Amino acid sequence: MDIKSEIINLIQSKKYRPLSLSEFAERIGESNFILIQEALNQLEGEGKIIKTKKDKYDLPERLNIVVGRLQVNRRGYGFILAKPHDVFVPKTKMNGALNKDRVMARLFGRGFKDGNIEGQIIKVIERANTKIVGKFVVKRGTGYVFPTDKKISCNIVIPPKLTFGAKNGQLVVCEIEQWPTGKRPAKARITEILGDKSTPNIEMEIVIREHDLPLSFPSAVIKETEIISDTISTDEISNRRDYRDIFTVTIDGADAKDFDDAISISKDDKGNFNLIIHIADVSHYVKFNVALDEEARERGNSVYLVDRVIPMLPQKLSNGICSLNPKVDRLSFSVEIVVDATGEVRDFNIFEGVIKSDARLTYEGVDEQVEKGEFEDKTIERLIGDLKELSDILDAKRLKRGSLNFETVEPKVLLDKNFKPIDVVMRERTVATKLIEEAMILTNEVVAGFMYHREAPMVYRVHEEPDYEVLMQLAELLKEMDYPLKGKINHPKNLQKIIAFAHDKPEKFLINSILLRAMKQAKYYPECLPHFGLASSHYTHFTSPIRRYSDLVVHRLVKRILKTKGEREQSTKLIEELYDVCEHISICEREAEDAERESVNVKLCELMSEHVGEVFKGVITGVTGFGFFVQLSNSIEGLVHIRSLNDDFYVYDSEHFLLRGERLGKIYRLGERIMVKLVNINIEERIVDFAVV
């Protein structure tokens, strides 16, 4: 055990009392004070311990101090994501911290209705925004960059010699050289000029830079990729289970290029389903701690923007040798599962395998074949029939135990060859997506259960229960919309009833969206906690290692259990890092989701900018003191500002979530259908303004 681990174990013990440097040396039995001081400094720098005024060390939480990631709102205040509660930080208590920084804050101990308490940031442990995108503006001879990301509220001074030749009004990328404090502004140098508003696709470039998404791979990664063979040798196959004679297909979206998973299924004489899920064996090619692995870990996942994919792995791997492409041999990590007619798992095995996919099916094609009852051939008809029967059984079983099937739509913006948006297609859950979804959920549960019962180190996918206070506010809102509520709203069965009640209502997607917003965000964690949304006692992500680093780590951990003691010992460093890995990939996932959502919003705004002055049908999705939000059928959402309602003086009724006219009594409430005119679009700010017709 190293000195850092010994110090942490000592501090975390129940009998610990704050110790000084010399006292640690005595307790640990280490005479080299320099080594101990270095370890203490490192732990303090990481925010794991804190030095008191008496030069002694303790855990932050024992001193009314929290450590966590800061999320800042556009209005300037923020929250530190910490346990057991998030901590509210007023705009005046930021002390130079910026959005996404890892910070340390002292608590005031003041409670809020939603369980949050207030804090003041006392230290920035890790900066997240070394590069910032913004508009370069010269005022009174001084250059400034005003960030395009409104969550970063500081203005940045650019010294005259560090402008990189940028012109007034241009959009630039700058690198911070002096961080802001409570009184002192940030200083930076401009490193890249993106262009101005007229530059083609400029907004997408801003999204990419704001989220620091990498557009190329380092040379060391490219070199490692080049030496990986495009074919599979006989030696690689010899110790694997051979599935090449079993009929196997992939089912993905029509525009998919990387195929993580393939599927085989048959039924035996007893009515049991013999399901085999084949997952790309990425860990065979991407070894732990090599350049490829370090880059994949840094990226965390692939990012699917409207106009491009920013992959976790180089294309040679993601679209090539790792991808389960049809008609070619591919290495797999396969899970064989026997499921009976009630959906119970009777047996399972996990093997390293080799497959040859027989066909590349698409969701669109499968949906069409199921709807028409006409299939490409009898083998595919039998496979889809068996999958559909099994998915219905698994779906019903999940619902019975309390799983939540949210009914949502996802906008897909169609672009022309110049990346100009031409249309929006709304995608819902279909028969085909359900076939794969249910099979993958089952596989993830089986693998998680396998590792849990062996008490093995693991990365789990956890989803905590929503805060009760948040759900109570939701209950009040639903009562205003005449939704029947009986019993505790935080019980999954009651949430299911709300979803079912909304199914045939015009506001179906609104209700599901409101429920989703009330849920906590799922994350990765090295301890097994329940997954609330799936009502699963143990869950993981195993099925997408080409595009998610979490799944690649899970593959390595599972193989560690399946293989020899010598190979297990090689995984020691990985296991030591699991908490850090889980935190990092959870952050990367949120970053990717934000970037993907913003890229969609950018193109939706571009599309709608050609329809200013036109009238649309919409649904009121939010009511506030300054107006109400309206969402159109293509998912674009905009604001009807209260000052545009000139037929009366409107007052916000927060108890009943509505605006009411004082003179005429006209009401605008959540879920109401309404006709609106599009009056303004600000693509740069992603702001849409409507007016009531």
Side-chain angles (χ1 to χ4, degrees):
M1 187 182 293
D2 62 14
I3 293 176
K4 281 174 66 176
S5 300
E6 287 192 62
I7 290 172
I8 285 295
N9 286 343
L10 190 58
I11 291 179
Q12 288 179 340
S13 64
K14 291 181 179 179
K15 295 181 179 179
Y16 176 79
R17 294 290 178 270
L19 300 176
S20 64
L21 170 62
S22 59
E23 289 169 330
F24 269 116
E26 184 180 340
R27 292 287 294 272
I28 293 172
E30 174 58 66
S31 59
N32 191 333
F33 278 32
I34 295 175
L35 290 178
I36 296 177
Q37 187 65 70
E38 285 177 354
L40 288 168
N41 290 345
Q42 286 177 19
L43 290 168
E44 189 180 7
E46 293 165 3
K48 292 178 179 176
I49 63 172
I50 193 165
K51 190 176 184 179
T52 69
K53 291 179 180 179
K54 295 181 179 180
D55 289 337
K56 296 193 175 187
Y57 296 87
D58 207 341
L59 295 174
E61 52 265 36
R62 290 184 184 147
L63 302 172
N64 210 31
I65 290 171
V66 297
V67 174
R69 192 71 58 175
L70 176 66
Q71 284 190 349
V72 180
N73 184 281
R74 283 171 171 259
R75 297 181 185 179
Y77 64 82
F79 291 90
I80 299 170
L81 307 182
K83 284 194 171 186
H85 295 294
D86 294 345
V87 177
F88 173 74
V89 182
K91 187 177 181 177
T92 55
K93 307 291 184 184
M94 290 289 180
N95 284 339
L98 302 177
N99 187 42
K100 301 174 191 171
D101 286 348
R102 192 160 181 264
V103 299
M104 183 178 284
R106 190 177 304 281
L107 304 180
F108 295 152
R110 188 172 129 206
F112 290 89
K113 287 183 180 179
D114 57 4
N116 292 314
I117 53 177
E118 189 172 320
Q120 175 175 351
I121 292 172
I122 57 174
K123 181 181 179 181
V124 176
I125 297 168
E126 181 188 352
R127 291 287 185 178
N129 306 280
T130 55
K131 293 182 179 180
I132 292 176
V133 184
K135 181 184 285 188
F136 178 62
V137 177
V138 179
K139 287 186 175 182
R140 297 176 184 174
T142 303
Y144 298 91
V145 168
F146 297 102
T148 52
D149 183 353
K150 300 308 175 187
K151 293 176 183 177
I152 298 176
S153 56
C154 72
N155 296 328
I156 303 160
V157 176
I158 307 295
K161 294 181 180 180
L162 303 179
T163 62
F164 201 63
K167 296 176 182 177
N168 192 35
Q170 285 188 315
L171 292 157
V172 300
V173 179
C174 65
E175 193 167 324
I176 302 293
E177 295 199 335
Q178 177 182 291
W179 295 102
T181 62
K183 298 178 181 178
R184 186 185 67 191
K187 287 185 180 179
R189 66 166 61 237
I190 293 174
T191 58
E192 185 181 4
I193 298 171
L194 300 178
D196 53 35
K197 285 185 180 181
S198 63
T199 304
N201 222 27
I202 185 72
E203 292 300 328
M204 290 302 297
E205 296 302 320
I206 290 172
V207 169
I208 289 168
R209 299 314 191 286
E210 280 185 349
H211 294 277
D212 200 20
L213 302 177
L215 294 174
S216 60
F217 286 94
S219 58
V221 172
I222 294 169
K223 286 178 182 177
E224 285 184 3
T225 305
E226 286 172 349
I227 63 175
I228 295 174
S229 175
D230 289 325
T231 58
I232 298 168
S233 68
T234 306
D235 289 342
E236 288 176 300
I237 294 173
S238 60
N239 293 321
R240 290 175 172 263
R241 181 159 292 210
D242 197 335
Y243 295 101
R244 287 175 291 181
D245 291 334
I246 298 175
F247 185 75
T248 303
V249 302
T250 59
I251 308 177
D252 293 273
D255 54 355
K257 299 289 190 297
D258 52 346
F259 307 123
D260 283 286
D261 56 89
I263 196 163
S264 311
I265 191 169
S266 60
K267 285 182 74 174
D268 62 23
D269 297 338
K270 297 178 181 178
N272 294 323
F273 297 90
N274 297 304
L275 178 70
I276 312 177
I277 300 298
H278 309 282
I279 306 301
D281 193 359
V282 176
S283 64
H284 176 82
Y285 298 100
V286 181
K287 303 300 183 185
F288 177 63
N289 253 5
V290 299
L292 258 171
D293 180 55
E294 289 175 356
E295 182 66 15
R297 172 175 170 169
E298 183 62 29
R299 295 181 178 220
N301 39 250
S302 297
V303 185
Y304 295 85
L305 304 179
V306 169
D307 64 340
R308 73 195 81 182
V309 176
I310 299 176
M312 184 180 80
L313 299 172
Q315 195 174 63
K316 180 179 178 180
L317 298 180
S318 63
N319 295 12
I321 191 63
C322 290
S323 181
L324 305 183
N325 299 329
K327 310 298 183 184
V328 290
D329 290 350
R330 287 290 183 262
L331 301 183
S332 67
F333 203 16
S334 301
V335 185
E336 301 179 4
I337 311 173
V338 179
V339 188
D340 67 19
T342 68
E344 288 293 323
V345 174
R346 293 302 174 191
D347 194 15
F348 72 89
N349 280 293
I350 306 172
F351 296 105
E352 291 179 322
V354 57
I355 72 165
K356 182 185 281 188
S357 173
D358 293 276
R360 183 265 203 263
L361 306 183
T362 66
Y363 293 134
E364 297 83 354
V366 170
D367 283 327
E368 186 178 348
Q369 291 177 65
V370 170
E371 186 178 350
K372 291 181 177 178
E374 299 172 1
F375 296 86
E376 292 178 31
D377 58 46
K378 289 293 182 184
T379 311
I380 288 177
E381 181 179 7
R382 187 163 52 250
L383 177 137
I384 291 174
D386 289 345
L387 272 178
K388 187 175 184 308
E389 185 181 353
L390 177 59
S391 71
D392 288 342
I393 292 169
L394 294 174
D395 185 41
K397 186 186 176 194
R398 274 198 308 108
L399 285 172
K400 188 176 180 181
R401 75 188 186 200
S403 180
L404 303 175
N405 278 356
F406 292 107
E407 296 188 63
T408 58
V409 289
E410 179 186 344
K412 178 176 175 60
V413 184
L414 305 180
L415 309 177
D416 66 14
K417 62 182 181 180
N418 296 317
F419 305 112
K420 183 180 178 181
I422 53 177
D423 200 2
V424 183
V425 177
M426 304 305 292
R427 299 190 291 194
E428 298 182 49
R429 192 185 193 215
T430 67
V431 170
T433 57
K434 180 183 168 185
L435 300 182
I436 297 302
E437 185 181 304
E438 293 299 336
M440 298 306 143
I441 290 173
L442 177 66
T443 305
N444 288 331
E445 288 182 331
V446 165
V447 172
F450 170 74
M451 296 296 281
Y452 173 76
H453 291 300
R454 279 156 186 75
E455 299 182 348
M458 184 58 169
V459 171
Y460 293 97
R461 181 68 168 176
V462 304
H463 184 216
E464 297 171 281
E465 287 189 24
D467 287 327
Y468 183 70
E469 292 84 358
V470 174
L471 287 179
M472 287 306 294
Q473 291 174 5
L474 176 63
E476 292 301 317
L477 187 152
L478 291 170
K479 284 177 184 176
E480 286 299 316
M481 298 178 71
D482 296 324
Y483 272 64
L485 294 174
K486 293 181 180 179
K488 293 183 178 179
I489 190 172
N490 62 336
H491 195 284
K493 294 285 185 184
N494 288 326
L495 293 173
Q496 283 179 348
K497 287 175 183 176
I498 294 167
I499 295 170
F501 188 81
H503 178 70
D504 296 319
K505 301 284 189 299
E507 71 274 9
K508 173 176 75 174
F509 295 126
L510 168 63
I511 295 299
N512 279 267
S513 175
I514 291 170
L515 286 172
L516 269 171
R517 278 181 240 158
M519 298 293 114
K520 287 191 175 179
Q521 199 159 15
K523 63 182 180 181
Y524 298 103
Y525 202 59
E527 296 175 29
C528 188
L529 300 173
H531 193 293
F532 179 81
L534 292 172
S536 183
S537 55
H538 26 66
Y539 196 70
T540 191
H541 274 170
F542 176 84
T543 56
S544 298
I546 290 176
R547 61 184 179 89
R548 288 192 304 232
Y549 190 74
S550 58
D551 304 47
L552 177 55
V553 174
V554 167
H555 280 216
R556 289 175 179 149
L557 295 172
V558 174
K559 285 185 178 184
R560 174 181 173 272
I561 295 301
L562 296 176
K563 293 194 172 183
T564 63
K565 183 179 178 183
E567 287 172 306
R568 289 186 190 185
E569 288 171 353
Q570 293 174 19
S571 307
T572 303
K573 192 171 188 301
L574 170 62
I575 293 164
E576 289 174 353
E577 297 175 349
L578 281 187
Y579 279 93
D580 291 338
V581 169
C582 287
E583 182 185 24
H584 173 71
I585 57 182
S586 295
I587 292 167
C588 288
E589 178 188 38
R590 287 193 285 273
E591 197 72 42
E593 288 174 350
D594 288 347
E596 290 165 357
R597 184 165 50 248
E598 283 181 34
S599 78
V600 170
N601 289 339
V602 163
K603 292 302 179 183
L604 282 173
C605 286
E606 286 182 17
L607 179 67
M608 295 302 290
S609 66
E610 298 184 0
H611 299 276
V612 173
E614 296 181 23
V615 175
F616 300 90
K617 290 180 181 178
V619 175
I620 297 178
T621 54
V623 183
T624 72
F626 54 84
F628 55 87
F629 292 92
V630 175
Q631 188 173 49
L632 308 186
S633 60
N634 65 3
S635 83
I636 193 85
E637 191 173 52
L639 175 70
V640 174
H641 202 283
I642 198 166
R643 65 172 172 259
S644 71
L645 302 173
N646 49 26
D647 62 328
D648 204 342
F649 181 78
Y650 285 87
V651 177
Y652 177 50
D653 183 342
S654 59
E655 250 184 74
H656 300 94
F657 309 96
L658 55 83
L659 285 174
R660 180 183 286 107
E662 285 196 334
R663 185 169 57 87
L664 300 174
K666 169 71 178 173
I667 287 174
Y668 294 103
R669 68 171 73 243
L670 206 63
E672 181 183 335
R673 288 188 171 277
I674 192 169
M675 299 294 292
V676 290
K677 179 192 282 188
L678 178 60
V679 295
N680 182 54
I681 290 267
N682 185 329
I683 298 172
E684 185 180 341
E685 301 276 348
R686 267 78 102 186
I687 291 174
V688 179
D689 291 318
F690 292 124
V692 174
V693 176

